[in-house]
Amino acid sequence: MRRAKVAAVSVAAALGLPADDAVVLFSSNKLALRLTPGDVLARVTDGGLREDAALELHRARRLADAGCPVGALLPGVAPQVHERDGFAVTLWTYYDPATHPVSPRAYADALVRLHAGLRKVDLGAPGMDDRIAEAQEIAARTDLSPDLGKADRELLRSRLADLRRSITSSGAPEQLLHGEPHPGNVLGTAHGPVFIDFETLCRGPVEFDLAHVPEAVSEHYPGIDHELLAHCRQLVLAMIAAWRWDFGDQFPNRGYWRHALLRALREGLSWPAPPGTVPGRLEAP
């Protein structure tokens, strides 16, 4: 993380942007950093994922042109991937979450507008079924998930198979989706919430996207199939549980999430609360 922060500050300085330090805003498979004292958001990932970062830039520009509520690229800077010290860095506009908190209704309204815009653009993306298959492979192969115990492996394998079958056979209409519109990928602005991180675009029912958001948000989204949403919520739990057991996973606190997600699956719960938060609060890891 320290090296990634240094790389982001170095990129900004080379472009003449005010950047003395970097504050971590969100950490998963990539870092979201605020470069201070300016209003610059840097997204940093491993340099080997340069093509993914470039794809995200391309999609963000296409979605903005379609009127989707998406995070803006940094004005006055060419939209490109900057490579520095083994990292790929992209620069975006920073929005202060304390200044513009996101209410559940505003979150839902923004997601409705995002889905409407996604129906207008022609962007290649895999089906949701392909992403489920990736999680199933991790759960099935001991070389990919060597630490996963026999009973837990069987739980994941059977749950993923059952949920995949019930969702794909539901006959629900499908469209282009964000793929992971969880709270970490939503920013509050003066013009309402906007979404970031478009590497995960996929095709499926809107309930799959809604499975990533807090229940208070999905309650404001019109016309959803609540039974399908319940199945999608369990599916997302199972998929993310499988990804946490991938031997190459580098997600922060992966040890906690591995067991907390499996426990939630066994007990039919929603997202487990992250350490230090109010129990029962839904947070997408």
Side-chain angles (χ1 to χ4, degrees):
M1 185 178 293
R2 182 188 63 80
R3 290 178 52 244
K5 292 168 69 173
V6 170
V9 170
S10 176
V11 166
L15 293 170
L17 301 172
D20 299 326
D21 194 11
V23 178
V24 177
L25 302 176
F26 189 74
S27 175
S28 59
N29 60 324
K30 68 180 66 173
L31 279 178
L33 306 170
R34 181 191 180 186
L35 304 184
T36 58
D39 288 329
V40 179
L41 173 68
R43 292 171 63 75
V44 187
T45 189
D46 183 89
L49 300 176
R50 184 189 186 287
E51 291 185 2
D52 291 341
L55 178 63
E56 180 182 18
L57 286 176
H58 169 71
R59 288 174 167 176
R61 295 176 70 187
R62 290 287 305 278
L63 294 175
D65 290 342
C68 293
V70 300
L73 296 168
L74 189 64
V77 175
Q80 66 185 68
V81 179
H82 304 271
E83 297 183 74
R84 189 66 52 94
D85 299 329
F87 294 98
V89 182
T90 54
L91 302 176
W92 308 73
T93 299
Y94 170 76
Y95 305 99
D96 186 352
T99 305
H100 305 289
V102 178
S103 70
R105 181 178 292 278
Y107 194 153
D109 290 344
L111 191 54
V112 168
R113 291 193 293 117
L114 177 65
H115 285 157
L118 286 167
R119 289 193 289 270
K120 300 176 184 177
V121 296
D122 181 16
L123 289 171
M128 177 190 72
D129 207 43
D130 291 350
R131 298 187 65 193
I132 303 173
E134 293 175 4
Q136 286 182 299
E137 185 175 19
I138 293 171
R141 291 175 49 180
T142 56
D143 60 322
L144 296 180
S145 51
D147 299 329
L148 184 59
K150 184 177 180 180
D152 290 335
R153 187 180 303 280
E154 183 55 35
L155 169 69
L156 271 181
R157 289 179 60 183
S158 62
R159 192 63 60 85
L160 283 166
D162 291 345
L163 290 166
R164 180 182 187 180
R165 187 162 44 249
S166 64
I167 293 170
T168 56
S169 64
S170 67
E174 298 188 352
Q175 70 155 81
L176 189 61
L177 304 173
H178 180 286
E180 293 184 3
H182 57 69
N185 283 334
V186 181
L187 306 174
T189 78
H191 305 290
V194 296
F195 294 88
I196 59 173
D197 198 349
F198 304 105
E199 297 174 19
T200 55
L201 292 187
C202 64
R203 300 195 65 84
V206 294
E207 285 80 3
F208 181 72
D209 262 2
L210 288 163
H212 292 79
V213 308
E215 293 177 0
V217 174
S218 60
E219 289 172 358
H220 293 287
Y221 194 102
I224 62 175
D225 182 328
H226 290 279
E227 182 178 0
L228 178 58
L229 175 58
H231 288 162
C232 285
R233 284 193 182 280
Q234 286 294 297
L235 172 65
V236 170
L237 275 174
M239 290 170 63
I240 296 180
W243 294 333
R244 297 293 77 85
W245 286 96
D246 185 342
F247 78 97
D249 183 60
Q250 298 182 23
F251 193 88
N253 296 324
R254 67 182 294 220
Y256 168 81
W257 288 111
R258 281 178 164 186
H259 299 286
L261 289 167
L262 285 175
R263 184 168 59 251
L265 274 176
R266 286 195 199 91
E267 299 175 7
L269 304 176
S270 294
W271 291 109
T277 62
V278 178
R281 180 183 176 187
L282 187 148
E283 295 282 357

